[in-house]
């Protein structure tokens, strides 16, 4: 008994719709078998961690009112040889006695990797376990009433035998929620919490693109903890906002001792990012600039990425070029103000980001004329599913030279654009850096007012 139903899973409407069918099979098997339909045996839930796959599986059992047997696939492989297979056998034996029911195997990629792929050093134990799993699934006749649900965030590494018809022949994608979905998830996780009237879920949802259900749950909990630490009776929008920034960028080190000199440097560095970002046509708006140190960073500039772009996952060439210029804006500002000899190591993260973007543009996106519209450099990890496998270079030394030259050219172009913007708007840079040194944080509106006063124009080139 899971006690969870679809009501507890917010936002994942498509996945719920597809799983409704499984619920229906479990509730009215006769309706299907009377027509000669075979009940599906397995259904694979695919999606990034924290999107609610486990929760959905429990909800299916709850909706159908059937028992729920669950295990994590990693449990099968960590034990002694032969134990994994026998555990699978036991699990299915128990399940069959309670049919109709659901068997849930979490993180199935831990046992279900392609056999003989050499990953993990050819684990015999894993092979035996997966063979046993396949045998069990083939073993129960069309309508024994045991439906196997499994979850993974790596469908690409699963053994083909698992995905064959009659096994996990259904796949349900559980994606990161969109704005509307995030609003609903926030509502679910605010139940039982005292919220102030100024809390607007819509606004929070807009500020949390890419967040999963688990991330949002964590956000609301952190906000509640903050409110308690501040001795408040209610969680207000400030606590949520602070919790959000803390999650994204690490906790603020309010008491860190920072020399006046370093503060000045960080202020100009962040002002450089913000200024270039604001003046690039079609770039994300600046949401907040801060020179309070957090985690590794001395300061941070927050941009508000557009929902549309995040949702589609499509980035135009000019967007990526702008992004590189924005990332370099920090170093450029340091250089312009403090001189080439006095630049610091503070820009190393910026450089890493720039190099990665430039290399992807050349190797993967076909944005380089000299390399052409081809993807080189081995398979890329699926960005949506994370965990990039180590990529192997599959091109010659000669091509490697061209790639390096192309990458360098892209970076140099971005650098010169950033320099141009900063030198022509140096007065705004000074004003912004000054404001940052006074107030430590500057929000988007205040920042924009500097431009209206300064009558800046968008950069064209
Ligand atoms: P996954 O199995 O995909 O990694 P989980 O199902 O374990 O994710 O989700 C972790 C927690 O995040 C859940 O217990 C739940 O509290 C929260 N959560 C995730 N997705 C949702 C959702 N769509 N609606 C409500 N809560 C969610
Ligand atoms: Mg899970
Ligand atoms: Zn920077």
């Amino acid at each position: 008994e899971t006690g969870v139903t679809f009501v507890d899973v917010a936002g994942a409407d498509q996945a719920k719709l597809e799983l409704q069918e499984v619920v229906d099979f479990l509730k009215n098997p006769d309706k299907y078998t009377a027509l000669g339909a075979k009940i599906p045996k397995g259904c694979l839930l695919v999606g990034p961690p924290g999107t609610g796959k486990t929760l959905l599986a429990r909800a299916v059992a709850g909706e159908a009112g059937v028992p729920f047997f669950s295990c994590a696939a990693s449990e099968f492989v960590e034990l002694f040889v032969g134990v994994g297979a026998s555990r699978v056998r036991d699990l299915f034996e128990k399940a069959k006695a309670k049919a109709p029911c659901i068997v849930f195997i979490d993180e199935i990629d831990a046992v279900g990797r392609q056999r003989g792929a050499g990953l993990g050093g050819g684990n015999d134990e894993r092979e035996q376990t997966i063979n046993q799993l396949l045998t069990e699934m083939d073993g129960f006749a069309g309508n024994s009433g045991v439906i196997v649900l499994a979850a993974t965030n790596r469908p690409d590494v699963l053994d083909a035998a698992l995905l064959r018809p009659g096994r996990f022949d259904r796949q349900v994608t559980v994606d990161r929620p969109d704005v509307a979905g995030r609003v609903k998830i926030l509502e679910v996780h605010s139940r039982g919490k005292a919220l102030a009237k100024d809390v607007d879920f819509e606004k929070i949802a807009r500020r949390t693109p890419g967040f999963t259900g688990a991330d949002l749950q964590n956000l609301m909990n952190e906000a509640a903890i903050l409110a308690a630490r501040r001795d408040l009776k209610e969680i207000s929008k400030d606590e949520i906002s602070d919790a959000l920034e803390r999650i994204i960028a690490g906790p603020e080190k309010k008491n860190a001792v920072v020399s006046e000199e370093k503060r000045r440097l960080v202020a100009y560095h962040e002002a450089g990012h913000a200024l270039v970002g604001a003046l690039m046509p079609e770039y994300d708006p600046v949401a907040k600039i801060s020179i309070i140190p957090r985690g590794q960073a001395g300061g941070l500039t927050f941009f508000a990425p557009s929902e549309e772009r995040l949702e589609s996952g499509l980035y135009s060439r000019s967007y990526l070029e702008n992004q590189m210029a924005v990332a370099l804006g920090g170093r450029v500002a340091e250089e312009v103000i403090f001189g080439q000899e006095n630049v610091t190591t503070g820009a190393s993260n910026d450089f890493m980001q720039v190099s990665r973007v430039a290399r992807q543009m050349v190797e993967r996106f076909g944005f380089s004329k000299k390399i052409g519209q081809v993807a080189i450099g081995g398979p890329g990890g699926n960005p949506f599913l994370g965990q990039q496998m180590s990529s192997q270079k599959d091109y010659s030394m000669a091509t490697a030279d061209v790639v390096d030259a192309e990458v360098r050219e892209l970076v140099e172009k971005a650098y010169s654009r950033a320099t141009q913007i900063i030198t022509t708007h140096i007065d705004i840079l000074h004003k912004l850096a000054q404001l940052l040194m006074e107030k430590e944080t500057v929000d988007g509106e205040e920042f924009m007012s500097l431009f209206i006063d300064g009558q800046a124009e968008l950069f064209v080139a």
Side-chain angles (χ1 to χ4, degrees):
E1 300 287 304
T2 63
V4 180
T5 62
F6 281 161
V7 184
D8 302 299
V9 190
D13 293 339
Q14 183 60 34
K16 281 196 266 186
L17 201 70
E18 288 174 45
L19 287 169
Q20 184 59 47
E21 198 177 84
V22 176
V23 173
D24 212 36
F25 282 135
L26 285 166
K27 273 183 163 165
N28 313 301
D30 301 343
K31 189 167 96 187
Y32 294 89
T33 45
L35 289 166
K38 281 216 178 77
I39 291 180
K41 289 179 186 162
C43 177
L44 190 63
L45 302 167
V46 179
T51 43
K53 298 181 294 298
T54 308
L55 189 67
L56 267 168
R58 292 157 58 93
V60 169
E63 286 284 323
V66 300
F68 183 75
F69 295 87
S70 122
C71 66
S74 53
E75 289 168 20
F76 293 147
V77 283
E78 69 197 10
L79 294 160
F80 307 106
V81 176
V83 174
S86 74
R87 276 203 162 190
V88 171
R89 214 175 303 126
D90 288 350
L91 180 69
F92 277 87
E93 222 139 76
K94 272 193 230 151
K96 273 184 257 178
K98 293 270 184 194
C101 69
I102 283 181
V103 171
F104 177 59
I105 303 171
D106 211 352
E107 292 153 45
I108 192 169
D109 41 290
V111 286
R113 281 181 189 276
Q114 282 156 3
R115 284 166 291 186
L119 282 168
N123 187 331
D124 258 1
E125 178 62 7
R126 192 146 60 201
E127 291 197 7
Q128 286 177 21
T129 310
I130 178 179
N131 286 340
Q132 186 63 39
L133 182 62
L134 295 175
T135 313
E136 293 291 346
M137 290 185 76
D138 288 343
F140 45 80
N143 52 6
S144 73
V146 180
I147 292 189
V148 187
L149 296 183
T152 181
N153 53 4
R154 293 299 311 268
D156 52 323
V157 301
L158 287 186
D159 198 299
L162 277 174
L163 305 173
R164 229 191 52 189
R167 288 156 184 175
F168 291 101
D169 47 357
R170 276 159 206 256
Q171 287 199 17
V172 173
T173 306
V174 190
D175 226 332
R176 294 177 200 277
D178 58 8
V179 191
R182 292 198 295 276
V183 171
K184 287 189 204 142
I185 294 173
L186 284 167
E187 279 164 7
V188 167
H189 289 292
S190 310
R191 282 190 215 145
K193 292 198 173 72
L195 291 183
K197 287 210 176 58
D198 66 358
V199 175
D200 181 346
F201 288 147
E202 175 85 29
K203 279 206 186 116
I204 306 170
R206 295 229 165 263
R207 285 188 64 189
T208 47
F211 271 48
T212 62
D215 295 333
L216 293 167
Q217 178 185 27
N218 181 34
L219 170 65
M220 292 311 291
N221 192 47
E222 289 282 329
I225 290 172
L226 265 182
R229 283 224 317 252
R230 292 176 186 173
D231 290 325
L232 301 173
K233 292 262 176 307
E234 290 177 324
I235 305 166
S236 81
K237 76 172 198 297
D238 294 335
E239 279 72 50
I240 294 176
S241 186
D242 291 348
L244 179 59
E245 279 164 19
R246 194 190 163 114
I247 288 167
I248 295 174
E252 287 185 340
K253 298 187 197 149
K254 274 229 163 88
N255 301 323
V257 183
V258 183
S259 70
E260 212 34 49
E261 201 179 340
K262 170 145 192 231
R263 266 170 59 92
R264 205 165 111 81
L265 194 117
V266 173
Y268 274 102
H269 181 103
E270 294 308 323
H273 285 308
L275 183 62
V276 176
L279 293 175
M280 280 295 173
E282 292 171 59
Y283 197 71
D284 304 329
V286 172
K288 181 174 169 179
I289 315 156
S290 160
I291 60 163
I292 301 173
R294 291 170 183 271
Q296 297 287 326
L300 267 177
T301 302
F302 294 91
F303 289 91
S306 92
E307 184 76 17
E308 195 186 334
R309 188 160 32 236
L310 285 159
E311 219 97 287
S312 67
L314 296 176
Y315 295 84
S316 68
R317 181 189 172 121
S318 66
Y319 179 86
L320 294 175
E321 286 180 344
N322 292 347
Q323 191 181 40
M324 287 192 287
V326 172
L328 291 171
R331 165 56 72 84
V332 171
E334 286 184 37
E335 206 173 278
V336 170
I337 302 295
F338 302 94
Q340 292 225 346
E341 288 73 37
N342 299 316
V343 294
T344 66
T345 52
S348 68
N349 271 333
D350 298 337
F351 291 148
M352 238 150 31
Q353 187 200 353
V354 170
S355 318
R356 197 179 59 232
V357 172
R359 196 157 282 277
Q360 286 189 330
M361 286 175 77
V362 174
E363 289 188 346
R364 302 216 190 290
F365 305 148
F367 285 160
S368 151
K369 282 223 176 66
K370 291 203 186 113
I371 295 296
Q373 275 73 44
V374 290
I376 57 176
N382 184 337
F384 142 56
L385 296 166
Q387 271 171 318
Q388 192 153 355
M389 304 225 287
S390 64
S391 74
Q392 278 171 347
K393 300 279 178 234
D394 62 356
Y395 47 72
S396 69
M397 294 295 275
T399 310
D401 285 344
V402 182
V403 169
D404 287 344
E406 289 287 273
V407 166
R408 176 148 307 140
E409 198 182 310
L410 281 169
V411 174
E412 273 165 12
K413 187 177 160 204
Y415 203 86
S416 87
R417 293 173 79 203
T419 311
Q420 227 177 312
I421 290 183
I422 286 183
T423 47
T424 50
H425 296 91
I426 194 97
D427 45 333
I428 300 186
L429 185 78
H430 283 306
K431 270 192 214 157
L432 177 56
Q434 200 57 46
L435 202 57
L436 278 169
M437 282 184 276
E438 275 163 31
K439 303 183 46 176
E440 295 199 320
T441 54
V442 171
D443 66 23
E445 278 168 35
E446 210 171 347
F447 173 59
M448 285 322 287
S449 70
L450 288 178
F451 285 88
I452 296 159
D453 298 346
Q455 300 193 330
E457 276 169 26
L458 279 185
F459 181 71
V460 269

